[in-house]
Amino acid sequence: MTNTPVSPIEAVNAAIKSHNPFTNTGISQQQDVWGKGFPDVSTLNAHASNKVFEAIEFVRKSESCQDKVTSIAIIAPKGVGKTHLLRRIRHQLEKEGGALFVYAGGNNYTDLNLVKYQFQQTLADSLSKTGSQGVKQWQEVATAMANEGRSDNSPTPAELVKKFDQAYANSLAQNRNLMNALQKQVIKNKPNADPYILRAILWTLSETQASFAIQWLSGKELAKSNADELGLPNLHKTNQDREAEALRNIQQILNLVSFYNPVIICFDEIDVINNCNDDGLPTECLIANFVKILHDTLENSELSQGVVILTVMLSETWRDKVNSMPGGTPDRISKYTQRKPLELDPVSSNSMVQLVTIWLQEYYNSKGLIPPHQLYPFEESNLKEYGKVSKPTVREALLWCANNFKVEEEVLPSDPFERFDLAFKRESEADIGDYLENSDLIADALYFGFETLKGQTLEEVVVEKVTRDVKPKIQNKNFINFKIIGSENGKEVKIGVAVIQSSQFTLNAGLKRLNDYETFELTRGCLVRSQSKIEQMRKNSEAYKLLNELISEKGGENVDLIEEQIRPLIAILAVYQKRPAYKLTEEEIFDLIFQNKITVDNLLLREILSNPSGNMPAVNEEEEDIKLIDNFLNSSNMSETEDSDDLSELFS
């Protein structure tokens, strides 16, 4: 931020007053897990997310059947960031791959008598979300199935999805069936797999049939015509029937899917719904028992890529309920950490600063603003103190930020003269970056300076009008920034001013227009360009020839751009542009500029109006000097040779 000009403080403060980015934040909803980018302090509770990825790698690489299914319990008070952590894991997997992601939020369980059937629906829905390869996670698995045993040049999931429907139609036209062939091929290596579940997964490659296949995989009934077209059974069943069959379907799906990719299953907010099933078991106990069942019944094959089950709950839920459940349930819910849940930490002093930094960076970027410092309007010391003393949850920290995201109204002097003096000083000292390279800003400042001089006489020129409307516009293309129209000793004066601090091409184009007095109705052309840039010209360049034409033949001039002369003009322009913030009127500003003689005594404005000297500025003569030296050395060598010949002849 040090090399980038800071936005006007008035604009930053106005944004702060109009929109508080911390309002209604701090609560991660279940649908947010599948959302796009989000502010994340990656170091906050990194121990937990790192442990999860460690577990995924462990089950993937393990050669032991007993280690292919593992589990972790994650506990924390409300608002610490449990769901946020799952969102971080999901985003990293989507970005880098490594596992299929299944998210089962507490709100998914609307009927606690149908927990297994509802999880089957959740499983099917989660795998229909986009994975790391830009297609549905189902389609990643189906592609791996279709490509099994093939070379490294196998088609990608996106390629298979794109061409599947046409390939299938072509096979039918030839009295063949691509789906039957694929199913037959895959089932050879998976003799224990349910052939219909396998077939439904392969159907997800079809853009036209994927939604029906996923619906069938979720346990829902299809229309007879759709089921027949897919070649899938479609018996009418009650919810109780579906609940009874759900566990087997879930096992079949997970055993099949995890053969190709590790799977991470996240049971989030298992204590969010305070309800019981018909047997009086509360939600958290039902989910915990279901996790135990999954752990114990999933197929443990050494060829599997493994399954990691996360169960997220409040600290008191683990302490008071889950940890005391019988039958080894706690051991199976937190197997990877030996029955020790991962505890999430509150916000520390350092993570408080990081949290606010990331949040504000996104906020200011969205507004196109650059604040005075990255934590503005907060101070780092205050943030650290709050984090150290309060040890807040993420939710509490963001609420504190929402309540303190404000700027104090500045109390300005009552006297307009004092307000102008304050504004002029502030704008003169403001960091506006490398403004000497900003031709447009310099031109605007000069234009405004001459606007304040209308009706006054400087350097014998009466300034009558200043206009940006340089005609013909099509030919000018804004190369001549403005014209000063007035009179000098009774004669009309029309000075075209072009500020060109940029490239050689722009300089050549601008000089051509400044030399064209007839087309643009000028009596004088004036180039404003730093002497240091003029000195870089070479005498044989087109720019030098055009500048020489302007000065020596047309009576125009080049005015040196001097920092001390242009900076006050930029400052008064800024004061004028921000006059509402400084509580100054246009009339007051013009009057105070006149009283302080800011533009009347400005040497840059006077130089533009004064009679041109007719002298060309100094330019780079290095090439001419080199030629002169080369000629001298060549002629010297020649003389030495001639002299030597003469002497040898003399002494022969």
Side-chain angles (χ1 to χ4, degrees), residues 538-554:
R538 304 208 181 272
K539 274 195 171 181
N540 61 351
S541 68
E542 182 182 2
Y544 181 85
K545 295 173 184 176
L546 290 168
L547 183 62
N548 185 58
E549 178 186 349
L550 177 68
I551 294 174
S552 304
E553 300 176 22
K554 297 290 182 66

Side-chain angles (χ1 to χ4, degrees), residues 137-150:
Q137 295 184 98
W138 279 122
Q139 293 167 336
E140 292 182 17
V141 175
T143 300
M145 286 180 174
N147 284 334
E148 193 170 5
R150 284 179 163 74

Side-chain angles (χ1 to χ4, degrees), residues 72-139:
I72 297 174
I74 298 175
I75 64 173
K78 287 182 180 179
V80 170
K82 298 184 293 298
T83 302
H84 181 93
L85 181 77
L86 300 182
R87 191 177 181 187
R88 176 192 298 169
I89 294 168
R90 151 69 181 164
H91 275 268
Q92 186 166 332
L93 290 174
E94 183 181 21
K95 182 180 178 182
E96 302 175 8
L100 301 175
F101 185 87
V102 176
Y103 178 77
N107 290 326
N108 291 52
Y109 303 101
T110 55
D111 186 340
L112 295 182
N113 297 300
L114 302 172
V115 167
K116 298 180 186 68
Y117 173 47
Q118 287 173 139
F119 178 74
Q120 182 182 346
Q121 293 176 309
T122 295
L123 177 61
D125 179 66
S126 290
L127 293 178
S128 70
K129 305 294 186 185
T130 303
S132 62
Q133 299 184 58
V135 297
K136 300 180 194 305
Q137 295 184 98
W138 279 122
Q139 293 167 336

Side-chain angles (χ1 to χ4, degrees), residues 170-194:
N170 292 342
S171 73
L172 295 181
Q174 298 169 13
N175 294 318
R176 306 291 295 271
N177 189 306
L178 175 62
M179 177 54 66
N180 290 346
L182 282 172
Q183 183 182 10
K184 184 178 179 181
Q185 170 191 288
V186 177
I187 206 74
K188 286 180 183 179
N189 301 318
K190 305 288 183 299
N192 296 326
D194 183 305

Side-chain angles (χ1 to χ4, degrees), residues 604-635:
L604 180 55
L605 299 180
R606 284 184 169 272
E607 183 63 24
I608 292 171
L609 292 175
S610 66
N611 278 322
S613 65
N615 298 324
M616 278 288 291
V619 296
N620 189 342
E621 298 186 0
E622 183 179 347
E623 284 188 355
E624 298 296 323
D625 291 343
I626 291 172
K627 286 182 181 178
L628 182 64
I629 293 170
D630 285 344
N631 290 336
F632 165 70
L633 291 175
N634 290 335
S635 63

